[in-house]
Amino acid sequence: MGFAARIIGTGSAFPDNRMTNKNLADKLSTFGIETSDEWIQKRTGIVERRISSAEKPSEQNSSLGAAAAKNALEMAHKTPADIDQIIYATCSPDTLIPSTACWLQHKIGAENAWAMDINAACSGFVYALSTADQFIKTGQARTSLVVGADIFSSLLDWKDRNSCILFGDGAGAVVLEQTDETADSRILSSHLLSNGSLWQLFYIPAGGSNLEVTPDRYQANLHKIKMNGKEVFKTAVKNMVDFALQALNKNRMTIDDLDWFVPHQANLRIIEAVSSRLNLQKHKVLMNVDRFGNTSAATVPTALDEAVRDDRIKKGDLILLDSVGAGLTYGSILFRW
Ligand code: UT7
């Protein structure tokens, strides 16, 4: 009998500080840049986001990840010692070395685990979950902790109103356990693809080994994200539709079989365009972009966790995760809760 992986616990954590659109507009006005609550809500659906305080150790990336992980472990009735692998999706690591996964391992005391980071930007959680699934299917791991977390505020150019209005900080986590391949509750399939030729749509010029951050480059904000919003929007809609259909087709299912759709929360208009092209009923779409903005690798696990905890998600429900991110990276995962 072969193995499969199933999700047995979810968790999330956010920084305390709420930044409303009005707070954001006030901040930008100090740089002479105009925006408004009305514009942001109309074009993105975002009302507020959470912004971490770098000086608070409890709001570091790995600390939010650890808080989310503890919630997920509690739901799963597991302890840190039970975990044998930690896969941490982030593009805003605590430090470049060591990995944020190792910081988290240290903070929760998961001494029996190996740990690594994955950077697929906003698709990170889907890539990390798919990776953990492969280790469990091949029998190389029995219990995995998968985290998607970003302090995206650390990558923002607050003088670029096109991008800084979209993002926030947060962390989501799931615990996976080995089951058998015929179990009802399990990951059914995952689908990943990247297109590095579209790197210019969303990137950070400086701070890697190609271009060190010098005082001049720092002044020019080259260590912050550059985004072509309109092109990302179009590519996101097209590929999220394609990847949702790939997952359903592979399992010989249709959109009507789905109980829940958990799309990457980039912009309410992207989610609405994808849902409408898929002919998906609105009440099946999980959303938290209004309250948290785009939290990058954390959007999918936090939206999932919310619906698990408020009992919208029931045993046996069919759930589709769907994402797009810088790279560009695309991915979907179909699973039964
Ligand atoms: O994980 C993936 C992350 N990235 C994304 O998902 C980005 C996807 N793209 C988007 O969400 C949208 O393209 C944006 C929210 C970035 C922009 O919305 P849009 O509806 O595509 O606006 P636009 O770029 O067409 O701009 C329309 C107008 C422009 O003014 P003019 O040229 O018509 O006078 C912009 O200068 O809105 C202006 N504008 C703003 N006005 C007030 C752009 N940003 C702002 C702003 N406040 N924050």
Side-chain angles (χ1 to χ4, degrees):
M1 174 101 52
F3 298 123
R6 69 181 182 119
I7 300 177
I8 56 169
T10 63
S12 45
F14 293 97
D16 292 333
N17 177 31
R18 286 188 150 82
M19 184 189 265
T20 63
N21 291 342
K22 165 86 170 66
N23 301 147
L24 179 51
D26 290 346
K27 182 180 170 91
L28 298 205
S29 72
T30 63
F31 307 125
I33 294 167
E34 217 184 291
T35 190
S36 65
D37 176 39
E38 194 199 351
W39 192 96
I40 299 171
Q41 285 207 41
K42 197 164 150 215
R43 302 287 182 126
T44 71
I46 298 166
V47 177
E48 60 179 38
R49 71 286 292 138
R50 302 293 180 91
I51 302 293
S52 135
S53 309
E55 60 281 2
K56 272 196 198 166
S58 63
E59 295 195 347
Q60 290 168 347
N61 188 331
S62 61
S63 303
L64 293 178
K70 282 180 185 162
N71 293 335
L73 285 165
E74 200 178 284
M75 187 188 290
H77 303 294
K78 297 278 181 191
T79 68
D82 295 322
I83 304 168
D84 39 36
Q85 66 178 10
I86 299 170
I87 308 188
Y88 203 113
T90 192
C91 60
S92 49
D94 283 5
T95 52
L96 282 179
I97 297 175
S99 68
T100 310
C102 283
W103 281 115
L104 169 120
Q105 177 193 25
H106 167 60
K107 287 180 183 178
I108 67 171
E111 70 268 13
N112 300 318
W114 64 271
M116 70 165 180
D117 285 3
I118 283 188
N119 176 357
C122 298
S123 295
F125 178 76
V126 167
Y127 276 50
L129 185 58
S130 172
T131 306
D133 181 40
Q134 312 312 313
F135 276 92
I136 289 181
K137 281 203 284 216
T138 56
Q140 298 212 26
R142 289 184 60 82
T143 309
S144 301
L145 172 65
V146 176
V147 180
D150 270 302
I151 305 295
F152 215 87
S153 59
S154 67
L155 308 177
L156 294 178
D157 177 353
W158 293 104
K159 292 182 177 155
D160 176 12
R161 69 176 184 176
N162 181 53
S163 59
C164 74
I165 53 149
L166 288 170
F167 296 91
D169 303 333
V174 299
V175 174
L176 292 171
E177 179 181 69
Q178 194 175 65
T179 183
D180 72 67
E181 65 184 349
T182 59
D184 288 336
S185 164
R186 66 187 160 93
I187 294 181
L188 299 168
S189 66
S190 61
H191 308 267
L192 308 178
L193 187 73
S194 306
N195 184 351
S197 72
L198 297 179
W199 63 272
Q200 264 175 319
L201 296 188
F202 198 155
Y203 74 111
I204 299 179
S209 54
N210 283 358
L211 204 64
E212 263 182 62
V213 182
T214 57
D216 285 354
R217 291 171 191 153
Y218 184 88
Q219 276 301 319
N221 267 333
L222 294 185
H223 59 307
K224 303 293 185 179
I225 60 157
K226 311 290 165 212
M227 183 184 81
N228 179 336
K230 274 200 174 318
E231 285 307 311
V232 172
F233 194 112
K234 282 192 258 172
T235 315
V237 173
K238 181 188 176 304
N239 284 286
M240 286 175 79
V241 170
D242 286 356
F243 276 78
L245 293 175
Q246 257 187 56
L248 292 169
N249 293 341
K250 165 82 183 173
N251 294 282
R252 295 197 179 83
M253 290 178 184
T254 70
I255 207 76
D256 294 332
D257 294 314
L258 266 193
D259 293 294
W260 301 105
F261 180 54
V262 197
H264 170 49
Q265 315 276 311
N267 180 325
L268 178 65
R269 285 162 52 221
I270 295 180
I271 298 174
E272 286 175 348
V274 172
S275 308
S276 131
R277 276 163 217 215
L278 289 171
N279 266 327
L280 192 60
Q281 292 157 289
K282 213 174 162 184
H283 70 268
K284 292 185 173 178
V285 183
L286 298 185
M287 251 181 314
N288 67 10
V289 67
D290 52 334
R291 287 157 291 139
F292 300 108
N294 179 349
T295 53
S296 186
T299 64
V300 169
T302 56
L304 177 69
D305 179 50
E306 185 172 49
V308 168
R309 284 178 189 273
D310 66 19
D311 286 332
R312 271 176 291 166
I313 292 181
K314 309 276 185 225
K315 194 170 164 40
D317 280 358
L318 185 70
I319 305 172
L320 177 60
L321 313 181
D322 198 10
S323 71
V324 60
L328 294 184
T329 52
Y330 318 113
S332 60
I333 294 181
L334 191 67
F335 71 100
R336 205 173 277 287
W337 180 251

